[in-house]
Each structure stands twice: as structure tokens, then as C-alpha cells.
Amino acid sequence: MGAAAILPIASAAFTVIGGFMQAGAQRQAGDNAYQDALARNKQLEQVANAREAEAKQAQAAKQREGIEARRKGDMLASRARAVMAAGGGGVDEKIISGLMAEGEYGKDVALFEGDETARKYNQQAEFDRYSGRAAMAAGQNARSDANRAADWTMIGSVGKAGMSLASAYAGGAFGGGKTGIDAEIGDWSKY
């Protein structure tokens, strides 16, 4: 077998090797996209956890504020009761209950504010988690697409190499050496 005969085989081998290398690079790119998506999801999960912690802190701070508002209302009512009793004019329970109600109102407002702030933080945490899941799905899709492209690259390179070898060695319609009637017609046309 001469050098000319080996050349198509070497060319086909390089075509297949090149296709496999390209497919490997495509798979690696898909894996990289997926790893990036995993990292993004982990980051967003940490952000969501931090937001939930902020929600709990906001609620706790407002609960403490509400307790303090109620305590002040109770103290004002107690003080008013003591002053009224000391004055000798009797105790006006409407004023006392009004002062206590003011303390309860302050407590309720503080609790509502804490709940609203916590709701906003928790909503943002859920959005962060959703974004993380979406990033993971996109990464999985990118990896699947890259693997599919790699499969087709390998199939294409093997097919191309096969066609190249068929052209070189099969003859006839593939453009190789002519045999049979084609060779006779070729020989006859020389005259």
C-alpha cells in the first residue's frame, strides 16, 4: 500500500479525531454552563436565607416596639388613675380605657408594620429561590443542548470520514477508480 493509498485513511482518521475533540469541547461547555447554574442557584439560596433572617429580625424588632407601646399605654393609664385618685375627684374610666387603648393601638400598628416588612422580605426570598431554580433549569437545558450537539458532531465526523473513504476506495459513483463498463467507456473515449 503506497502513500497515496494511506492518505485517505489518515484524512478520515483525523476527521473523526477532530470531530471527537470538538464534541468533547461542546460537552465541556455544557458542563461549565450547568456548573455556573448550580453556583448561581446556591448564591440565590444564600440570599433568600439572608432575606428570611431579615424578615424575622424585622418582626422581632416590631414586636418589641409593640410591647413597649403597650407598656407605655398601661403606665400612662396607671399614672392617670393615681393622679385622679389623689385629686379626690374620682377615677374616670373612659380616660383610663382611652389611654390603654392608645397603647394597644401602638402595639397593633407596630406588629402590622413588622408583618408587612417580613412579608416583603419573604416575597423577595421566594423570588430569589425561583430565580435560582430557573437558572438551574437553564443550565440543565444548556448542558442537554451541548450534549446533543456533541452527539451530532461525532455522528457527522464519522459520516464524513466514511464518505471520504468510500470516495477513495469504492469507486464508481463515489469518484474512485472506475470499474466495469465505466472503465471501458473511459478507455474507448481516448480514441
Side-chain angles (χ1 to χ4, degrees):
M1 198 185 260
I6 294 175
L7 194 58
I9 294 171
S11 174
F14 284 127
T15 298
V16 170
I17 291 169
F20 278 35
M21 289 175 67
Q22 183 179 357
Q26 289 169 323
R27 287 187 201 284
Q28 185 62 47
D31 285 340
N32 289 347
Y34 182 66
Q35 292 302 318
D36 289 346
L38 288 176
R40 179 74 176 140
N41 182 51
K42 184 177 181 180
Q43 175 191 21
L44 288 169
E45 182 64 30
Q46 290 172 345
V47 169
N49 290 339
R51 288 188 198 280
E52 287 175 342
E54 289 178 50
K56 289 176 184 175
Q57 288 172 353
Q59 271 185 316
K62 288 298 184 173
Q63 284 173 350
R64 185 71 195 132
E65 190 177 307
I67 290 169
E68 185 60 24
R70 183 186 207 177
R71 189 185 70 74
K72 283 182 181 179
D74 289 347
M75 284 180 58
L76 283 174
S78 177
R79 172 90 172 117
R81 183 176 278 127
V83 169
M84 285 182 209
V91 176
D92 187 354
E93 288 300 324
K94 288 182 182 177
I95 293 174
I96 301 298
S97 64
L99 290 171
M100 291 177 75
E102 190 67 31
E104 281 295 316
Y105 176 75
K107 178 195 80 156
D108 291 343
V109 167
L111 292 177
F112 175 78
E113 289 172 350
D115 289 345
E116 279 301 297
T117 301
R119 184 186 60 77
K120 290 175 187 175
Y121 281 127
N122 286 329
Q123 267 183 335
Q124 187 61 46
E126 185 55 36
F127 177 74
D128 291 334
R129 284 194 175 93
Y130 173 81
S131 297
R133 290 189 302 268
M136 281 202 34
Q140 289 171 337
N141 289 340
R143 182 173 63 180
S144 293
D145 290 346
N147 286 338
R148 206 172 6 266
D151 292 343
W152 282 109
T153 297
M154 288 189 311
I155 290 168
S157 68
V158 169
K160 190 174 184 181
M163 290 300 290
S164 173
L165 289 174
S167 269
Y169 296 111
F174 290 99
K178 295 184 180 182
T179 60
I181 198 96
D182 290 336
E184 291 178 19
I185 292 173
D187 287 345
W188 179 77
S189 64
K190 290 181 194 173
Y191 301 106

